[in-house]
Amino acid sequence: MSDHPSDGLRSGQSIATLTAERRAVLNRRVRFIVAFTISYNVIEAVVAIGAGAAAGSPALIGFGLDSVIEVLSAVAVAWQFTRKDPQRWEKPTVRVIGAAFFLLAAYITVEAILTLTGVDEVDHSPVGIGIATLSLIVMPALAWFEFRTGKELGSASVQADAKQLLLCIYLSGTVLIGLLLNSLFGWAWADSIAALVIAGLAVREGIEAWRGDIEAPTEVLHDLTQPDHHQN
C-alpha cells in the first residue's frame, strides 16, 4: 500500500489554500530568518576574514567571503519579501542566488589551486577552528527551518537561500577538516582537495537555483533510504 501520489497533491493543495493569516505568519518568519542569517554571517565574515588574514590562511579568508555571499543571498530574499507581491519577484531573486553560487565556486577553485601549487598555505588558527565549529552547529538548524518555511510558502527563492546555508555547512566542515589536518599533521593539501569538491557542488546548486529547480537534501536522502518508494 502506498500513498505517496496523494502526498504531492496534498502539498500542492496546502500551498494553494494557505490563508492570508498563515501566509503573513510565514512571511514574518522569512524576514526573521533572513535578519538572523545576515547578522550571523556579518559577524562570521569579520571573524573569519580577520583570523584568516592574521594566520595567512586563504581557506579562512574564503570562508569569510562565503559568508559575505550568503549575506547577499539573504538580502535578495529580504528585498523580495518587502515587495507588495513577493511571488512576482521570485525568478530574478532566485537567479541572484544562483549567481552567488557561481561566484563562490570560482573563488574556492582559485584559492584551492593556489594552495595546491604552494602559492598560499593553510596555517593553524584556533579562532578559525572555533568559528567553523560554531557554524556547523548553527547552520544546519537554520537551513532546516528556512527550507520548511519556504516549502510551505511554495517559495523557490526561500528554499534556494536555505540551500545556500547548506553549502555553508559543507564549507564549514571542509575548512574545519583542513585546519585540523594541517594543525595536526601538516597536510595543507587536504583543505584544497575538499574545497574543489565544494566548488563542484556550488556549481551544481547554482545551476539548480538558476533554473528554479529546488529539492530538499532531506528529500534526496529519503528517496535513497526508501527502496520501495516508487513501487505500487
Side-chain angles (χ1 to χ4, degrees):
M1 176 176 169
S2 173
D3 58 358
H4 75 271
S6 61
D7 289 344
L9 179 60
R10 285 197 298 270
S11 177
Q13 289 175 336
S14 64
I15 292 173
T17 59
L18 277 177
T19 64
E21 182 180 359
R22 180 58 179 169
R23 186 172 293 278
V25 169
L26 293 173
N27 285 347
R28 286 195 298 270
R29 186 183 296 175
V30 169
R31 294 188 188 102
F32 167 78
I33 292 170
V34 168
F36 180 86
T37 299
I38 292 173
S39 300
Y40 180 87
N41 279 287
V42 166
I43 295 172
E44 184 178 73
V46 171
V47 173
I49 293 174
S57 170
L60 270 175
I61 293 174
F63 182 56
L65 291 177
D66 167 69
S67 298
V68 173
I69 293 176
E70 286 175 40
V71 170
L72 170 63
S73 175
V75 166
V77 174
W79 174 84
Q80 179 194 354
F81 279 83
T82 61
R83 305 297 91 190
K84 196 168 185 179
D85 181 12
Q87 281 64 42
R88 177 185 174 188
W89 301 96
E90 188 83 357
K91 187 173 181 178
T93 302
V94 170
R95 289 199 165 182
V96 167
I97 295 171
F101 278 116
F102 296 138
L103 289 172
L104 177 58
Y107 181 84
I108 292 174
T109 300
V110 171
E111 287 300 315
I113 291 173
L114 289 175
T115 302
L116 282 173
T117 56
V119 176
D120 290 330
E121 295 181 359
V122 180
D123 295 332
H124 175 63
S125 174
V127 175
I129 291 173
I131 193 67
T133 301
L134 179 62
S135 183
L136 283 174
I137 296 172
V138 173
M139 288 302 167
L142 187 62
W144 174 84
F145 186 50
E146 183 173 23
F147 194 91
R148 285 283 300 271
T149 302
K151 189 172 182 179
E152 186 175 353
L153 261 177
S155 172
S157 62
V158 175
Q159 293 175 71
D161 189 60
K163 294 191 77 173
Q164 178 80 0
L165 295 181
L166 186 69
L167 187 64
C168 176
I169 297 167
Y170 298 150
L171 187 58
S172 300
T174 298
V175 171
L176 181 60
I177 291 171
L179 290 174
L180 288 175
L181 289 178
N182 189 49
S183 296
L184 296 173
F185 307 109
W187 295 353
W189 53 265
D191 178 79
S192 298
I193 297 300
L196 288 173
V197 174
I198 297 297
L201 182 63
V203 170
R204 195 196 81 175
E205 300 297 344
I207 292 172
E208 289 185 358
W210 191 267
R211 293 174 176 171
D213 181 18
I214 307 300
E215 182 179 27
T218 51
E219 291 176 347
V220 175
L221 291 176
H222 177 75
D223 289 342
L224 293 175
T225 56
Q226 300 293 327
D228 61 342
H229 180 73
H230 297 292
Q231 295 179 2
N232 299 331

